[in-house]
């Protein structure tokens, strides 16, 4: 789509691109959403891809993912053998409601900052206990847990001019066992619910992440695998106004699916099967 309100595109921003931020600006990475709909309030685009941030950087502490890392690059990353959660990255990429052509442009940071309930990069990073590094226009940096970033449907904690720079996933989370369940009304449709369960190797804990069916990510933690009743009660304790409704499902439908798939995840991790 032509954006007929745009009067300038900054092709070579500074290394701290937020320093000259002003109202009417927008960050441009993949642009797969920016160019898909009218943007009447925008006047200038700042192209972050020109900064050439390294997409994926393994470290002793875990994995750093730049906000401009494409879905294609994330999917193709050669996961170290010990990072048992690697399969979850590929499954999350496959949860996109998009073609491989969009994968070539769409970015991890863009999907997170859109903050839609069905954003699979949100599911992935919350489930793996990630932390987001945010840069403010005044040059300050703050860190936010992935769980706390999205506050509602298309809403998050970003202040005007603030930018998501990188996502850091801790090494201990990359070594966890994982199990996931996802439901869509059609084979390539938008997620109605997307659940991930993780568990430390050799332990019996459970960290259950619920997304797509809720307006913001929900995490339910258990020190040891719960029984059926306890698991269901924990899901039912999610506030009613957190459940999402759209043409893909009502809150009651999504709660029902969450109960069902959470129990499947519990059984899978109890049996010791890897996702």
């Amino acid at each position: 789509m032509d954006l007929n309100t745009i009067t300038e595109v900054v092709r070579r921003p500074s290394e701290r691109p937020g320093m000259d931020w002003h109202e009417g600006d927008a960050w441009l990475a993949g642009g797969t959403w920016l160019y898909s709909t009218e943007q009447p309030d925008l006047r200038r685009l700042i192209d972050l891809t020109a900064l050439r941030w390294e997409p994926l950087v393994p470290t002793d502490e875990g994995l750093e993912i730049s906000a401009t890392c494409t879905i294609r690059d994330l999917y193709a990353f050669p996961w170290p053998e010990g990072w048992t959660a690697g399969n979850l990255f590929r499954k999350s990429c496959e949860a996109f409601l998009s073609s491989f052509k969009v994968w070539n442009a769409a970015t991890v940071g863009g999907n997170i900052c859109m903050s839609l309930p069905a954003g699979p990069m949100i599911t992935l990073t919350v489930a793996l206990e990630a932390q987001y590094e945010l840069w403010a226009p005044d040059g300050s940096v703050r860190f936010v847990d992935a769980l706390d970033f999205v506050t509602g449907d298309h809403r998050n904690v970003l202040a005007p001019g603030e930018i998501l720079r990188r996502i850091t996933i801790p090494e201990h989370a990359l070594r966890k066992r994982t199990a996931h369940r996802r439901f869509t009304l059609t084979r390539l449709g938008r997620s109605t619910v997307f659940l991930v369960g993780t568990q430390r190797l050799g332990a019996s804990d459970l960290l259950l992440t619920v997304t797509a069916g809720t307006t913001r990510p929900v995490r339910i933690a258990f020190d040891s695998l719960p029984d059926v009743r306890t698991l269901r009660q924990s899901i039912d304790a999610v506030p009613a106004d957190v459940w999402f409704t759209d043409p893909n499902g009502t809150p009651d439908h999504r709660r029902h699916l969450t109960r069902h798939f959470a129990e499947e995840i519990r059984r899978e991790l109890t049996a010791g099967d890897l996702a």
Side-chain angles (χ1 to χ4, degrees), residues 54-88:
E54 190 68 26
L56 296 143
V57 181
T59 69
D60 291 341
E61 290 74 37
L63 177 67
E64 295 181 357
I65 307 171
S66 78
T68 53
C69 174
T70 65
I71 304 308
R72 177 197 60 195
D73 286 344
L74 187 66
Y75 189 83
F77 185 71
W79 299 102
E81 184 177 351
W83 287 5
T84 50
N87 185 51
L88 183 60

Side-chain angles (χ1 to χ4, degrees), residues 10-252:
V10 179
R11 295 294 186 185
R12 293 179 177 82
S14 66
E15 289 299 316
R16 303 290 297 199
M19 300 296 284
D20 63 345
W21 173 273
H22 56 74
E23 188 175 354
D25 286 354
W27 305 118
L28 174 63
T32 54
W33 177 76
L34 272 176
Y35 290 120
S36 71
T37 186
E38 295 181 355
Q39 308 288 350
D41 297 329
L42 298 185
R43 300 294 179 268
R44 186 172 71 152
L45 301 179
I46 303 174
D47 186 2
L48 298 178
T49 60
L51 296 173
R52 300 190 180 282
W53 291 332
E54 190 68 26
L56 296 143
V57 181
T59 69
D60 291 341
E61 290 74 37
L63 177 67
E64 295 181 357
I65 307 171
S66 78
T68 53
C69 174
T70 65
I71 304 308
R72 177 197 60 195
D73 286 344
L74 187 66
Y75 189 83
F77 185 71
W79 299 102
E81 184 177 351
W83 287 5
T84 50
N87 185 51
L88 183 60
F89 285 77
R90 296 189 175 95
K91 293 300 182 182
S92 298
C93 291
E94 291 167 357
F96 268 85
L97 180 60
S98 64
S99 70
F100 71 92
K101 294 180 180 179
V102 174
W103 281 23
N104 291 334
T107 62
V108 175
N111 187 251
I112 291 171
C113 292
M114 277 293 293
S115 301
L116 299 176
M121 296 297 99
I122 299 169
T123 309
L124 171 69
T125 55
V126 172
L128 295 183
E129 305 163 57
Q131 188 176 69
Y132 300 160
E133 180 179 332
L134 308 182
W135 287 3
D138 64 4
S140 62
V141 177
R142 65 175 174 138
F143 298 89
V144 176
D145 286 342
L147 178 66
D148 301 323
F149 181 80
V150 176
T151 58
D153 179 18
H154 205 40
R155 291 186 286 118
N156 57 50
V157 301
L158 284 173
E162 201 168 26
I163 186 173
L164 172 60
R165 169 58 182 90
R166 64 170 57 88
I167 301 101
T168 302
I169 299 178
E171 197 265 351
H172 74 85
L174 292 164
R175 293 185 177 277
K176 282 190 170 185
R177 301 170 57 221
T178 69
H180 73 278
R181 294 294 187 276
R182 176 173 171 258
F183 178 85
T184 62
L185 293 179
T186 60
R187 188 173 69 88
L188 298 177
R190 185 183 296 271
S191 299
T192 300
V193 295
F194 192 176
L195 281 71
V196 176
T198 65
Q199 185 181 71
R200 291 173 298 154
L201 293 176
S204 61
D205 61 313
L206 171 62
L207 194 65
L208 180 68
T209 299
V210 179
T211 61
T214 52
T215 57
R216 57 174 173 77
V218 172
R219 181 189 289 161
I220 306 172
F222 302 93
D223 292 332
S224 59
L225 282 166
D227 57 27
V228 177
R229 181 179 180 182
T230 301
L231 180 60
R232 180 178 178 125
Q233 287 176 338
S234 298
I235 293 168
D236 289 346
V238 175
D241 61 355
V242 172
W243 295 99
F244 187 50
T245 183
D246 72 354
N248 294 289
T250 65
D252 285 345

